[in-house]
Amino acid sequence: MGAPEKTIVVDFGGQYTHLIARRCRDLGVYAEIVPQDCVLDDAMLAGVRGVILSGGPRTVSPEDLERFSPNLKILRDRRIPVLGICFGHQLLAVANGGELAPGGNPEYGRTKIRVVDNSSILKELEREQLVWMSHSDEVRSLPDTMRTLALSKDDRIAAYESTDRLVFGVQFHPEVTHTPNGMSVLEAFLRDVCGYRNMWTPEDQVQSIIKWIRDEVGNGKVLMGTSGGVDSTVAAFLIKQAIGDRLHCVFVDNGLLREGEREEVETAFREMGFPNFYVVDASDEFLNNLSGIEDPEEKRRIIAETFIRVFERKARELEKRYGRFDFLGQGTIYPDRVESAATGKATAVIKSHHNVRLPDWMRLKVVEPLRDLYKDEVRRVGLKIGVPERMIRRQPFPGPSLAIRVGGPVTREQLSILRHADRILQEELRRDPIYERVWQSFCVLLPVRSVGVMGDERTYDQACVIRIVESTDAMTADVSTPRWELLLNIASRIANEVHGVNRVVYDLTSKPPGTIEWY
């Protein structure tokens, strides 16, 4: 499903690895991620004009050099330029004869650098430029075959290039939005140094995705769990376009959904012309299994296992009516794979992933039409193929649903309180122009109580957190800054209208360092 011309991003375990690939795509260059222990052979390098090495959470070791040096030789022999970012910057310097100073002198967050040579990949940067740093090791010295492009505090090497312009390194992270003009660094490397000319867009991939589904599925049938979220809806629509009524979609009502969600999804799938769409009400089963559970990871596990049992029962029922299913459709996208560490052995696991795990008896092959796309790319594809805009513009919703927005045990009463608060938040936000910029907005119930006053009476009720963030792909997110009057109005309505809440707070944490969801 990729374009013939591409760049490769080697994953050394940094959480920004997929963000690098995402930014390359923003610049119209298709990017694929490969693990750090890959072998850059002829097949992998077909169509590759440049390679980027990601950051990572460790010090460059002799093992790293021994493992990756053969790849560096191949790239040099083929005269394929390589750019190292953070850990990749350090690895390239040491591999070419530079000296590394491990630990003891860290730079984290926004840092000012001084550009001393702007004739290369830093040509669009100011002489003094703010960048985003995240490292403790540093390149202490460079070999004669390299020259310094930028320095940070105390004249530490922040960027360099080789004299033959085949090796480049930046200690900072150009891929994050916290580095102003960072995209210009990547663009200069990809377009000017590597010579990429084609413009890749996700919309252009629609026909190749549909063809891939047809080739993969053949004459088989696909069973798919659909949540009504953007990812599963677009994936289902693509599969339907590819194989028609051989797709069967199952929507499970787990009792943890937002207000009116089940009805909205049923209506949308009926209007989109899905002939085989089934709703299973398993709310009692989910809530009974979650009774008394406080730990969010345990909630995720229980919800996943309960979903499997419910899905399996429905699958057996459908197989009796329609015969054997051959494939399981899923709406997996790139960020899913990042946060479940599916793309690299060294990537840290942030949260367990919630996609369907196959019951042993089913032995189905998985079809994931969107596994190489990011959320905003999925939205663009969805609009291209005719998915209703109201479904495309829906905010992301976690697989474990409202269970992970309730701190402490999940009960019907807590869910009712949370739904009421969330409805107020959404009502007020939709009336304001800021809603168009919002990636995700929701409420969280905290497992703490505080003293309040309602009229002349003392209350001892729960605290509700309002969370509003802006993002393009969920890899990073900035806290949103609504008008103060809007926030005050939302807080006032929740405190006065939602029985059980007497205190409302606003979460000011961006990602990183936090995650978008609380639990």
Side-chain angles (χ1 to χ4, degrees), residues 66 68 108 111 114 160-161 208 310 351 376 448 504 519:
E66 181 180 358
F68 206 71
Y108 295 110
T111 304
R114 186 173 78 259
Y160 61 76
E161 71 172 6
S208 62
V310 172
K351 294 174 185 173
D376 64 313
V448 295
V504 180
Y519 298 112

Side-chain angles (χ1 to χ4, degrees), residues 70-91:
N71 283 335
L72 294 178
K73 184 178 185 306
I74 290 171
L75 295 175
R76 181 168 288 281
D77 289 346
R78 295 190 177 206
R79 300 193 64 78
I80 296 176
V82 56
L83 168 66
I85 297 174
C86 194
F87 176 89
H89 157 96
Q90 297 163 11
L91 177 65

